[in-house]
Amino acid sequence: MTQRALELASFGIGQVSPSPLVGCVIVSESGEIVGEGTYLYKNITHAEVIALNQAGAKAKGGTAYVSLEPHSHHGRTPPCTEALINAGIKRVVCPIEDPNPLVSGKGFDVLRQNGIEVLTGILKEEAEKQNEKFIHWHKVGRPFVHLKMAMSLDGRIATRTGDSQWITNEKSRQKVQDLRYEYDAILIGSNTAFVDNPSLTDRSNKPRNKKLTRIVLDNSLRMNINSKLVLTAKETPTWVFTDSDDEEKINQLKDEGVEVIQIAEGGRNLQGILHELTKREVQSVLVEGGAEVAGSFYDANLIDKISFFYGSVVIGGKDAPTAIGGKGSKMLNSATKLRDLTITKHDDDIELNGYPYAT
Ligand SMILES: NC(=O)c1ccc[n+]([C@@H]2O[C@H](COP(=O)([O-])OP(=O)(O)OC[C@H]3O[C@@H](n4cnc5c(N)ncnc54)[C@H](OP(=O)(O)O)[C@@H]3O)[C@@H](O)[C@H]2O)c1
């Protein structure tokens, strides 16, 4: 049943930030599923309450399977612990605590104090992975940074002449749209904005509760006024981080709806950028290149997850750019390793996901 609670929670992907994904199943005393709920930010009502409302009187004496610890404080809604207690639930099965300090451990305590049996730890890893962005945001205090790069089998992101579209196939590119759907923001460097003229939109065609924010690191303010990003900035949030004080260009960009954020060292100040994004409740960022920007995040040890999409092509050439620029690791024993690797094929393309860790 915890698996089902996690599945219900997953129906909220793209529709809960800055809240967590939560799903709930109510099983009656006789073992029948009597209520199910998924939390969606716009609907306000929490998964537990949706499921309890469905269950009605049948919840009494039953078990609630919840994918994340129920909250015990007054937030946008009254405490879910109160709803579970009032419904006469006898047992709560829940894999993990909520990392939000307002909730953490307190929800379980309140339930136990009210005579409810609380069972934790089942499918813990799956539950943590499902809410990895939310958990990271609360525990580390900055957005979850996911680097995604598309490259040839020999690690090139473009040919020596800069030809880069497309290295990967349509299925891989569709998968990238699904990735964008899960993120609050996409971030690129000014060269990519200039050379590729991307639109950086979420074309997954799935509902989202917040618009995807597009971020460009651009200290020289090279953003083209006629680029797709600028021309659509009034509909889709577009932020430029810079240390430039070129008033004329800043005003041109602002007139088109671009938000120009001036900070010391501009795009080079990754900690400052992440701090600013944290203040703006951006919980997760998909870094989509290019090589220089990927290298800066790598060198600063600020990558939490990596996705490499390999097209079935070899490009070669010492002047063809590779995926991660910057300084890179000095010695092999200090190079970044990846844990929890997953490999998926999209026809002849290969998608590799992993989590960097230091040894
Ligand atoms: N295959 C892929 O997945 C993929 C993805 C993206 C791009 N690309 C390709 O990669 C090429 C562009 O990549 P690139 O490496 O030349 O450029 P890039 O990483 O897109 O942009 C680099 C520029 O961004 C600005 N910048 C601001 N803050 C920065 C920071 N913290 N770190 C690094 N740069 C920062 C700098 O210019 P200022 O000093 O002027 O601000 C810098 O020159 C294009 O050919 C594009 O098609 C491929």
Side-chain angles (χ1 to χ4, degrees):
M1 261 336 138
T2 302
Q3 189 66 59
R4 176 63 182 156
L6 288 170
E7 189 187 0
L8 288 164
S10 75
F11 298 153
I13 290 176
Q15 301 173 74
V16 297
S17 177
S19 303
L21 293 161
V22 189
C24 176
V25 185
I26 306 292
V27 175
S28 70
E29 211 170 1
S30 62
E32 186 196 349
I33 294 181
V34 287
E36 291 192 330
T38 295
Y39 171 69
L40 298 180
Y41 188 84
K42 70 168 188 270
N43 293 349
I44 300 172
T45 313
H46 284 192
E48 297 91 318
V49 176
I50 297 169
L52 286 170
N53 286 345
Q54 253 178 43
K58 290 182 180 165
K60 197 167 175 10
T63 301
Y65 294 86
V66 198
S67 63
L68 187 71
E69 181 180 7
H71 73 121
S72 59
H73 67 288
H74 285 265
R76 288 207 306 159
T77 66
C80 284
T81 47
E82 207 171 275
L84 292 161
I85 295 161
N86 292 341
I89 288 289
K90 279 277 165 283
R91 198 164 69 117
V92 169
V93 180
C94 178
I96 52 170
E97 279 187 11
D98 187 319
N100 181 348
L102 287 171
V103 185
S104 200
K106 298 185 182 100
F108 290 152
D109 287 348
V110 169
L111 293 172
R112 288 193 179 106
Q113 282 154 16
N114 282 274
I116 295 177
E117 182 192 348
V118 178
L119 199 65
T120 63
I122 296 166
L123 297 181
K124 180 174 178 280
E125 277 175 22
E126 288 84 344
E128 281 172 350
K129 186 151 193 284
Q130 179 171 71
N131 267 313
E132 63 190 2
K133 303 173 189 73
F134 177 81
I135 292 172
H136 184 277
W137 160 271
H138 278 287
K139 288 202 165 158
V140 183
R142 65 159 174 81
F144 184 80
V145 176
H146 185 160
L147 173 70
K148 171 252 134 189
M149 298 295 283
M151 66 191 84
S152 62
L153 290 169
D154 56 338
R156 265 73 174 181
I157 61 165
T159 67
R160 69 186 151 82
T161 60
D163 190 18
S164 67
Q165 288 173 354
W166 300 103
I167 291 176
T168 49
N169 66 23
E170 219 163 282
K171 282 193 180 163
S172 295
R173 300 204 300 277
Q174 183 53 46
K175 183 66 202 297
V176 171
Q177 294 301 324
D178 291 343
L179 254 188
R180 286 181 180 179
Y181 172 61
E182 292 181 21
Y183 280 78
D184 286 348
I186 305 186
L187 181 151
I188 58 166
S190 60
N191 280 353
T192 299
F194 195 78
V195 174
D196 291 355
N197 188 20
S199 27
L200 296 185
T201 43
D202 167 0
R203 296 185 287 279
S204 66
N205 291 323
K206 296 176 189 165
R208 355 178 7 117
N209 73 311
K210 277 200 229 172
K211 285 188 175 173
L212 178 68
T213 296
R214 302 165 312 178
I215 299 167
V216 182
L217 308 187
D218 185 6
N219 283 354
S220 320
L221 287 185
R222 283 188 296 144
M223 282 276 282
N224 186 335
I225 287 294
N226 295 312
S227 63
K228 289 181 193 161
L229 288 174
V230 175
L231 291 177
T232 55
K234 285 188 177 140
E235 300 109 59
T236 310
T238 309
W239 302 346
V240 169
F241 279 92
T242 190
D243 61 358
S244 165
D245 50 14
D246 178 346
E247 282 303 318
E248 194 184 331
K249 186 65 183 273
I250 290 172
N251 287 334
Q252 274 181 343
L253 290 169
K254 282 185 176 168
D255 286 348
E256 297 304 322
V258 175
E259 185 165 351
V260 180
I261 305 168
Q262 291 165 287
I263 59 169
E265 294 174 58
R268 299 280 163 187
N269 180 357
L270 296 185
Q271 292 286 4
I273 291 168
L274 292 178
H275 180 68
E276 186 60 36
L277 298 184
T278 307
K279 282 202 298 189
R280 293 166 181 242
E281 286 201 325
V282 173
Q283 280 191 349
S284 56
V285 183
L286 188 63
V287 175
E288 290 206 22
E292 254 200 85
V293 160
S296 292
F297 276 92
Y298 179 86
D299 290 342
N301 234 334
L302 285 171
I303 301 173
D304 303 304
K305 186 171 182 177
I306 284 180
S307 294
F308 288 152
F309 287 81
Y310 294 95
S312 58
V313 60
V314 174
I315 292 179
K318 67 176 167 42
D319 294 330
T322 52
I324 302 191
K327 274 199 198 135
S329 305
K330 190 171 171 194
M331 302 297 289
L332 255 185
N333 63 9
S334 61
T336 297
K337 314 271 189 304
L338 297 186
R339 63 172 170 82
D340 300 341
L341 279 188
T342 59
I343 295 170
T344 315
K345 276 192 81 183
H346 305 294
D347 292 337
D348 284 341
D349 280 11
I350 297 163
E351 174 189 347
L352 183 149
N353 294 293
Y355 297 83
Y357 71 97
T359 45

